[in-house]
Amino acid sequence: MKGQKHIALLGATGSIGLQTLDIIRRFPERYKATVLTAGSKVDKLIELCREFKPRCAVIAREDLLPRLKFELEPLGIECLAGDNALADCVCHDDIDIAVTATVGYSGLAPTLRAIECGKDIALANKETLVVAGELVKKRLAGSSSRIFPVDSEHSAIAQCLAGEDSSMVERLLITASGGPFRTWEPEQIANACAADALRHPNWNMGQKITVDSASMLNKAFEIIEAHYLFDIEPERIEAVVHPQSIIHSMVEFKDGAVKAQLGMPDMRLPIAYAIGEHHRLPAAAKTMRIEDFCKLTFEKPDYTRFPCLGFAAMALKERGNTACVINAANEIAVAAFLRGEIKFGDIYKTIAHTLEHSDFIPAPDYSDYVASNAEARAKASELISKLQPSCC
Ligand code: NAD
Ligand code: MG
């Protein structure tokens, strides 16, 4: 690994973004934040740029560019805005690795650009692989770029696979906390409010992934993500509920051995492992004392109370644009749920309805994904406009 690595951090103002900056702040001899980007939190982006002094700052919302320029150009920081700038900023000669920590579909274009120009990627944005896993794999095959997973489960699997023969893998066991509704009755879940869904038992994350954890669609997405990252058939990837979130995932081998990676629920460990190209960084995250945990428990996931889990098997069987449609409908539904416009149970219904009314594209290219994403969003929005608002 070279001396100081230059990072393009996409989504710097979010949960993963700020934790990545915590690592960069504590290890300045190893890492430099060279590009910082944000969606719309311009004040936070300005504050971060004042501290980290990147070469370039990019904001998704073009109307916020004048403010960004006014504050940062006097400091010699180049300021850009819009989707093209967000994608292109990863390709500058000085960038060694792009950390994709934006939320949702917005991660796809910058990831594809990074692959195009042979940059390494620390991938937090799982939606990239959910939406277009096949395309990403195809593009990776012709590129020198590598993907290092940031998602804690996939980092755990990568750690368990280190030094192993991948042909000896029997199953990947992706652990799930079960979310805030793990013990709730179906009716309570269907009518849950945003405040309930945002009360994650173990992790403090952005709002969208927190709601996805409550519906367990996040786990379905992680099964899809694991399939594309580790080339394991979907039938050999399973979710296991582990409410303590201490085991971050496991690999079962053909000789009967099961390897697990344990640690406190602290994303700084998988972030450091990813940007360090799978080398460990001392004191990256909180240390764990295993003797403080009297019990680590496991349960089978309940596909009836959490029907979104079933979308993983469906998407990996049907392929094509199925997962792209699921993701788009979910993004629209989660945003509506957070605004109090629909009930929690309507998230599943919106995805199922959108799938039913979307055209299937068996072998999508990039433009097909763009069109399918836009179409599914419009269909999901149309359905939501007819639903009853939540009573929260
Ligand atoms: P967040 O909502 O806290 O932050 C999202 C970031 O993306 C912000 O900086 C925001 O300004 C930016 N952004 C939002 N919309 C954008 C757009 N359209 N264009 C450009 N930038 C945009 O989200 P998060 O919790 O940090 O999650 C980021 C990604 O990491 C998600 O894909 C999530 O699934 C994944 N992830 C998060 C965690 C976690 O602990 N937070 C764990 C595993 C994986
Ligand atoms: Mg995860």
Side-chain angles (χ1 to χ4, degrees):
M1 216 165 76
K2 76 170 206 182
Q4 194 192 36
K5 255 196 196 183
H6 289 255
I7 294 179
L9 175 53
L10 309 184
T13 58
S15 161
I16 293 291
L18 293 173
Q19 294 179 85
T20 305
L21 288 171
D22 181 63
I23 301 278
I24 296 173
R25 183 184 288 118
R26 289 191 289 129
F27 298 92
E29 68 295 349
R30 287 176 191 246
Y31 300 113
K32 165 87 186 138
T34 301
V35 174
L36 294 181
T37 86
S40 58
K41 288 188 182 165
V42 68
D43 289 332
K44 187 69 191 171
L45 182 60
I46 290 166
E47 179 196 321
L48 294 172
C49 288
R50 287 188 185 284
E51 177 182 352
F52 289 93
K53 303 190 173 47
R55 174 182 49 73
C56 173
V58 189
I59 188 101
R61 261 182 53 187
E62 303 195 24
D63 58 311
L64 297 171
L65 183 60
R67 172 145 169 68
L68 197 67
K69 283 188 165 188
F70 178 77
E71 298 287 343
L72 298 180
E73 277 186 347
L75 305 178
I77 297 172
E78 184 188 8
C79 298
L80 302 167
D83 289 343
N84 288 341
L86 279 171
D88 289 341
C89 70
V90 300
C91 284
H92 198 281
D93 283 350
D94 59 3
I95 298 300
D96 297 304
I97 189 162
V99 178
T100 63
T102 63
V103 68
Y105 180 86
S106 67
L108 178 60
T111 307
L112 291 175
R113 277 297 278 142
I115 295 171
E116 215 176 299
C117 38
K119 302 291 184 185
D120 284 340
I121 299 155
L123 184 109
N125 181 270
K126 67 191 82 186
E127 293 91 338
T128 293
L129 288 177
V130 170
V131 169
E134 305 277 349
L135 180 70
V136 171
K137 291 282 287 188
K138 220 183 287 164
R139 300 262 176 108
L140 268 176
S143 162
S144 59
S145 62
R146 299 167 293 172
I147 291 189
F148 298 97
V150 168
D151 217 348
S152 57
E153 294 75 4
H154 305 76
S155 175
I157 290 169
Q159 292 175 61
C160 292
L161 289 174
E164 297 286 354
D165 171 357
S166 59
S167 70
M168 289 301 285
V169 172
E170 180 64 28
R171 285 193 304 164
L172 303 183
L173 299 166
I174 302 194
T175 50
S177 70
F181 305 145
R182 182 174 65 89
T183 57
W184 286 33
E185 295 299 325
E187 192 150 326
Q188 286 177 289
I189 299 175
N191 294 305
C193 301
D196 301 318
L198 290 174
R199 216 171 284 128
H200 194 281
N202 305 333
W203 295 95
N204 184 10
M205 310 179 284
Q207 289 198 330
K208 192 253 179 190
I209 184 177
T210 306
V211 176
D212 289 351
S213 301
S215 68
M216 294 197 76
L217 184 62
N218 182 51
K219 220 36 64 176
F221 281 0
E222 290 181 352
I223 290 174
I224 298 172
E225 186 186 7
H227 167 69
Y228 289 115
L229 283 172
F230 303 110
D231 272 327
I232 302 286
E233 301 96 296
E235 310 77 58
R236 297 199 287 123
I237 309 174
E238 279 171 42
V240 180
V241 175
H242 165 52
Q244 297 81 18
S245 297
I246 290 297
I247 294 183
H248 297 303
S249 276
M250 297 176 265
V251 178
E252 184 183 316
F253 292 91
K254 290 194 192 297
D255 62 355
V258 178
K259 271 169 94 173
Q261 186 258 326
L262 287 73
M264 296 303 285
D266 182 342
M267 286 306 294
R268 291 173 306 174
L269 192 151
I271 291 168
Y273 195 67
I275 62 177
E277 298 175 21
H278 292 176
H279 294 281
R280 298 194 183 279
L281 191 59
K286 291 181 202 131
T287 47
M288 187 187 74
R289 295 191 163 273
I290 189 85
E291 58 274 33
D292 291 345
F293 295 89
C294 48
K295 254 207 289 201
L296 297 180
T297 60
F298 305 94
E299 297 160 18
K300 289 197 171 150
D302 184 339
Y303 280 71
T304 310
R305 280 185 310 131
F306 298 100
C308 284
L309 271 170
F311 286 131
M314 177 200 274
L316 289 172
K317 183 161 176 258
E318 293 184 3
R319 307 274 168 156
N321 62 329
T322 300
C324 175
V325 172
I326 293 170
N327 177 71
N330 180 59
E331 284 191 37
I332 295 294
V334 169
F337 171 69
L338 287 169
R339 291 192 300 266
E341 290 169 14
I342 59 171
K343 301 185 180 91
F344 189 73
D346 293 332
I347 296 176
Y348 171 78
K349 284 187 202 154
T350 304
I351 301 170
H353 170 96
T354 308
L355 271 172
E356 209 178 300
H357 293 86
S358 294
D359 293 330
F360 180 65
I361 308 171
D365 60 19
Y366 181 67
S367 60
D368 294 322
Y369 284 118
V370 173
S372 177
N373 172 61
E375 200 188 308
R377 281 169 189 268
K379 292 221 159 81
S381 302
E382 192 191 325
L383 171 72
I384 284 169
S385 67
K386 296 180 194 144
L387 292 173
Q388 294 292 319
S390 141
C391 315
C392 298

